[in-house]
Amino acid sequence: MRYLFFLAVLFSNLYASQIVNKTDSNMVKQPDSLVIDSGVRDSLKIFKPTIQDYISFTQFSERKVIDTVLSNEKTFAFTQWNNRDNFGRIQFANIGSGFNPLVYEVNPEQNLTLLPENKSFGFLGIKDIRYYDVKTPTTTFIYHNAVRNGAALNSTYTQNIGKNFNFALEYMGLRSQGLYSNSLAANNNTLFSGHYISTNLKYEAFAHFIHQNINNQENGGIANNELFMADDDAYDNRANVEVNLEGVTSQFSARRYYFSHQFAPFDPAKYPFKIRHTLFHQGNKYRFAQEALQPYFYQTTASLVPDFPLTTGKFSKNFSNTVSLVFDNESFKVDAGLRHQMMQLGVTESLNIANITVPAEIRENRIGAVGNLSVELWDRIGLNSFLEFSRGERFGSYIQSRNQFRLEPVQGYFVNAKVNFQSATPSFNYHLNTSPYRAYNYFEDDFKNQSILEIGGNVNLKWFDTQLFVNYFRIDNFTYLNGTRPQQSDSPVNISQIGGDATFRYGKFNLNSRLLFQNTLSNGDLFPAPNFIGRANLYFQSKAFKNAAEIQTGIKAQFFTKFSSREYSPILNEFVLPGTAAYDIGGIPVVDAYFNLKVKRMFFFIEGQHLNTLIDNNKVYTAPHYPFYDFRLNIGIVWYIIS
């Protein structure tokens, strides 16, 4: 697959290289064609596209120009293996191995599906898929070096066929050995997407297919924390550090077919009425494999299920069919529709022992409704609301409501408020599991809906590009893992968050900082988290080499207060409440130094990470028994090739 992809990119760019008068301008949009009169009857039209002719968007987002500006945000995104700003998360020692979330947040991608938390950080949902509209073939390469051996490369090729149809091919491959034994990460995504809109604007279609694999060796963390903290000479080579597991892997795969189209039976300019139809099938699989039984998970043979397979797995499937009526006006948009879903949840190896029975498969048909409302007034007031409801016999009712209000009282000053609510059965990973270890077998068929109310907002100010934000969460029937079993709280968990982001500038020097104060107001033992998380970025940015390039260099620091962290469960790929031997992590700042360079549309991100370990031994942990990475030279390259 990857070789066919690169051949397609190569030949398409060779073909596109025959086009004359290309430009790499990213200035204000100019006319995209120029008529040159030769002095005789014929004339020649030559296309001169600008960067504004290269557009990226999701199905329900506004269209934006492909961003080729060297900014503070990019230094936080393109130094991460998942190309996202991971503020509020702390990375495991190897790239592609996930994060420990320090901040409470709601992930809708886990609703009514199987998606373990530590497999979710590189997962691409329907709303993450980007479509394009480009004047000439465009290729993007995003490269990251790996830990010890390997690399990560994300390649995207997109091209318009005429003005109406665009297709895109994307492949991401990551393979990183890691410093510690049995910590290999091997992830890959294959994505095909297409977008079509008719010339008369009456018909529009979006389609994509994506296959994602997130595979990791699991080592269970280091076996002797005392020797590690003492900087024992035998641990200078991290490959010599004794770990808890050997020959163990966790594998997650997801495959989705998606097609959505809408048709306007009348002239859209006069009667903005449309009919939308959306179909998709999502299949997720999780597999835990081991070459032999691991003493780390059991004490005696009585803790084992006799003759049970060493490799176990579970899966979920969702076939969704939605028909909606849409009224699409410039300032007022509303749609409402009916949705039917056929869902499956099961395990590869069913179980029937004295105390527990885990069925091979659960099937359910769900009927529901969906609706959206969007109002824009005077370019100063905006309201966006979404509502979804469905009902089934096995997983009960599901409600999700998202409401956002935007106000711009003065040019450049924004006030955003939100009220979100969802009531849903917990993530399917909490419903069932089978394992040769008795403690890890469960089937929860009587869960109450976990209800989450989120109230918050932010204020954006021109002064120092300031953003102030506040969030409040109330979670009823909070679902968590206590050791090896899922449980639900009898009383609500209340969490408050308040923080801000600002950038101070003096000449070519900049200081960006982001602070978050978080407090679990009730039942704090069910969601242990740091009370404070912060980061700062002091950098110098300037044009260089006679304005042929741009440089950005500086120092970054991140910090979170000490707290008793949840522990990581390799079997479930979830985080569980700390046990009796738990210990605090945090309270130690991590400092990085970096040099970034932009030449035309090529970016180089070079970063020395965790400088602390150059002068002292590593005392930072991602989670109990899982040390943070040591000093490493991290290299990221981003290259936009516009033919």
Side-chain angles (χ1 to χ4, degrees), residues 403-406 415-421 453-459 468-474 495-498:
N403 305 276
Q404 294 183 320
F405 175 77
R406 177 182 56 83
V415 178
N416 299 290
K418 62 182 177 181
V419 178
N420 300 330
F421 176 79
L453 173 66
E454 178 185 4
I455 302 174
N458 60 71
V459 177
L468 305 174
F469 56 87
V470 61
N471 291 305
Y472 166 78
F473 299 91
R474 176 190 168 100
I495 300 171
S496 66
Q497 299 168 352
I498 185 170

Side-chain angles (χ1 to χ4, degrees), residues 73-85:
E73 291 76 16
K74 282 190 172 61
T75 195
F76 289 111
F78 289 127
T79 54
Q80 302 292 305
W81 61 268
N82 60 349
N83 303 313
R84 302 176 185 177
D85 186 344

Side-chain angles (χ1 to χ4, degrees), residues 545 550-554 593-597 604-608:
F545 308 111
E550 188 173 6
I551 61 171
Q552 185 186 78
T553 182
Y594 66 91
F595 177 83
N596 301 334
L597 173 67
F604 298 88
F605 298 90
I606 304 170
E607 185 172 75

